[in-house]
Amino acid sequence: MTISKTGALFSSLSVFVMSCMAQGGDLDYNGKKFVFTSVPAQYNVAASSAVKAKVNAGIQSATDLTTLLPAGYKKDGSVDYTDYLQRGLDKNRNVVFPDFPVLISSKGLTVSSNSNLYFKPDSKLIMQPNNLDRFEMLRVHGVSNVNIYNANLVGDRKGHLGTTGEHGVGIALRSAKDVNIYSPRISSCWGDGIYIGWRTRDVVDGHYIPSDNINIYNGVIDFNRRNGISIVCGRNINIRNTTIANTYGTLPMSGIDIEPNEPKDIINNITIDSVTTYNNARDGILIVLTRLPKNNGNATTNIVVKNHVDDGSYSAFRLGSGFRKTDREMTGQISVIDPVWKNNEKPFRFRSNYQMLPVTKFKNIKVMGGPAGAGGKAARNAVQSFSAPVQNAGQDAVKKIRAGLSKESKIRIEDK
């Protein structure tokens, strides 16, 4: 898929071509190197007291996987204990991971239905460096009724032994159902922090079986190479109170990317609520539905984005399109409510051939500050106060968006 002329931007229109499958280099759109920035304290979310209580209670009756490790086990993450952990997951449905770093191989770990996985404060799974294009640290495939608490996963992007591929994933959900992921900490993956999709063998009535009723709460997903979270085939997906930062390495390089691969996919009833995207190399939230419509039936998508904050990503929000003339017009609606976009080069981007997509409504947009690179941390800190000059500048930016959308009847901007 290619992306060419962008419209409704806050500076002059720019023309560029990129491939979503291409490898990302060291430079961003402005010819500057991407700079990793630690997640600020105000964006570091924590588990709720109710979840902490549930974890403490669950640990008491769970099988401690530490007891299944070999005698003389190492506690520094230097020895591969994948097989020991997997045997524990196969035989037990309620498990607590060792309270120290553990190395796992590219085989990863497979989660069964009706499982509860608990991570203690110092629990950590570290991916052993490999040269593979595709691998998954935690596989949640074709199962249901799974709860994962406080998962701490560190991928191998810094030590990866290959140079190709982009699908080394932290948590992979494929045709999974009724899964809750509480307070994940996922970083440095070769591909996505979390991938939500399907298994190719699961097809019913011409559609893949989507991952269904997937809930992600209070996460921090940082410095992953492709996307923080990818939603490729999912229904009833909820992402709440989560921060996704420093996504960089290979396109799309977005915090959250909602992007089906083909008409067999399902994308519906997606809710993104109180999510912060920070310093992502491309987009905070990217929605590309290009491959979903088909010429012999209707595709319906409903997406709600509420209280989204982006700080310092190249663009805060992007809509992609590029449909064929034979595609049927999609039904449903995309709603973006009360977004706050700060310190972006281009807060909003879209493709001009948008008419096949669902109606998209933006309500009460706030734009704060200028490009993150212009003033660095000082500018970001100053903009937190939302001073009157910043507010005025933001309203001018919103006016430009509105003017740029004058010919796009299906993208609408509303005030309060």
Side-chain angles (χ1 to χ4, degrees):
M1 179 179 65
T2 60
I3 296 172
S4 56
K5 186 178 180 182
T6 58
L9 305 179
F10 304 121
S11 59
S12 60
L13 298 178
S14 61
V15 179
F16 61 91
V17 178
M18 69 182 186
S19 167
C20 285
M21 298 300 292
Q23 299 296 314
D26 290 334
L27 304 179
D28 67 15
Y29 284 120
N30 296 321
K32 297 176 296 187
K33 287 190 175 182
F34 173 79
V35 178
F36 174 90
T37 306
S38 297
V39 177
Q42 71 263 33
Y43 300 148
N44 259 314
V45 295
S48 68
S49 56
V51 170
K52 290 179 180 178
K54 184 179 289 189
V55 169
N56 291 334
I59 285 176
Q60 304 305 315
S61 58
T63 299
D64 189 343
L65 296 180
T66 310
T67 62
L68 305 180
L69 298 180
Y73 58 82
K74 300 293 185 180
K75 300 174 68 174
D76 58 2
S78 63
V79 179
D80 172 16
Y81 292 130
T82 307
D83 292 341
Y84 296 94
L85 298 180
Q86 188 61 64
R87 283 195 286 270
L89 291 171
D90 290 342
K91 295 179 180 179
N92 303 278
R93 294 296 173 263
N94 299 298
V95 301
V96 55
F97 283 84
D99 199 19
F100 49 82
V102 175
L103 190 70
I104 62 171
S105 73
S106 59
K107 290 191 291 187
L109 298 172
T110 299
V111 180
S112 300
S113 290
N114 305 310
S115 291
N116 294 292
L117 278 59
Y118 301 96
F119 286 69
K120 288 185 174 181
D122 292 322
S123 298
K124 181 185 296 184
L125 296 180
I126 301 173
M127 173 55 66
Q128 187 176 50
N130 64 77
N131 64 355
L132 301 180
D133 292 352
R134 293 176 176 269
F135 51 94
E136 299 165 346
M137 296 185 72
L138 281 182
R139 269 184 306 278
V140 188
H141 290 193
V143 299
S144 62
N145 190 28
V146 172
N147 296 293
I148 302 174
Y149 298 93
N150 302 326
N152 188 352
L153 310 181
V154 179
D156 75 330
R157 72 169 293 168
K158 293 182 180 179
H160 192 72
L161 302 178
T163 58
T164 61
E166 55 186 29
H167 296 291
V169 176
I171 300 178
L173 302 112
R174 298 179 183 273
S175 302
K177 185 176 181 180
D178 300 329
V179 178
N180 298 303
I181 303 175
Y182 298 96
S183 302
R185 299 295 185 267
I186 304 174
S187 63
S188 298
C189 291
W190 186 243
D192 301 335
I194 297 177
Y195 182 94
I196 301 173
W198 41 262
R199 297 186 302 182
T200 54
R201 66 175 179 268
D202 295 328
V203 180
V204 175
D205 296 330
H207 286 284
Y208 294 121
I209 296 178
S211 290
D212 194 349
N213 190 28
I214 309 299
N215 304 289
I216 301 169
Y217 306 100
N218 302 313
V220 177
I221 301 173
D222 192 18
F223 197 49
N224 296 292
R225 186 167 166 268
R226 199 181 83 104
N227 289 316
I229 299 176
S230 289
I231 304 174
V232 176
C233 185
R235 180 172 54 208
N236 303 315
I237 309 298
N238 298 282
I239 305 171
R240 300 178 187 273
N241 196 33
T242 288
T243 293
I244 306 167
N246 292 304
T247 310
Y248 172 73
T250 188
L251 295 171
M253 290 188 267
S254 297
I256 297 176
D257 179 12
I258 302 175
E259 186 170 359
N261 287 327
E262 57 180 294
K264 287 183 180 180
D265 290 321
I266 294 174
I267 295 287
N268 206 10
N269 295 335
I270 312 295
T271 300
I272 299 170
D273 187 0
S274 302
V275 164
T276 297
T277 50
Y278 177 78
N279 196 44
N280 297 288
R282 293 300 188 257
D283 308 294
I285 294 177
L286 169 63
I287 300 176
V288 183
L289 303 179
T290 306
R291 297 173 182 171
L292 195 59
K294 51 189 176 181
N295 57 17
N296 60 353
N298 293 326
T300 298
T301 288
N302 291 282
I303 300 171
V304 176
V305 180
K306 298 188 293 184
N307 303 311
H308 169 226
V309 173
D310 184 273
D311 187 349
S313 301
Y314 176 82
S315 65
F317 198 97
R318 184 173 123 213
L319 294 170
S321 57
F323 291 102
R324 301 168 294 272
K325 292 181 179 180
T326 55
D327 287 337
R328 293 281 187 91
E329 186 173 358
M330 293 182 64
T331 57
Q333 181 168 304
I334 300 172
S335 299
V336 183
I337 304 165
D338 295 328
V340 177
W341 300 334
K342 314 177 194 177
N343 303 309
N344 308 113
E345 296 283 348
K346 302 181 186 299
F348 174 66
R349 299 190 290 151
F350 79 104
R351 277 282 300 262
S352 59
N353 56 336
Y354 195 82
Q355 295 306 308
M356 304 305 291
L357 285 173
V359 170
T360 299
K361 294 183 178 181
F362 293 85
K363 186 172 183 179
N364 192 31
I365 298 172
K366 291 183 180 178
V367 177
M368 309 289 180
K377 293 182 179 179
R380 287 182 178 168
N381 292 335
V383 84
Q384 300 303 317
S385 63
F386 298 157
S387 63
V390 169
Q391 286 279 19
N392 293 337
Q395 290 309 306
D396 289 342
V398 174
K399 289 178 182 177
K400 290 182 180 180
I401 296 176
R402 196 187 302 272
L405 293 173
S406 60
K407 296 181 180 180
E408 299 293 337
S409 62
K410 297 189 75 174
I411 305 178
R412 305 166 189 172
I413 295 180
E414 303 174 354
D415 299 321
K416 274 189 175 182

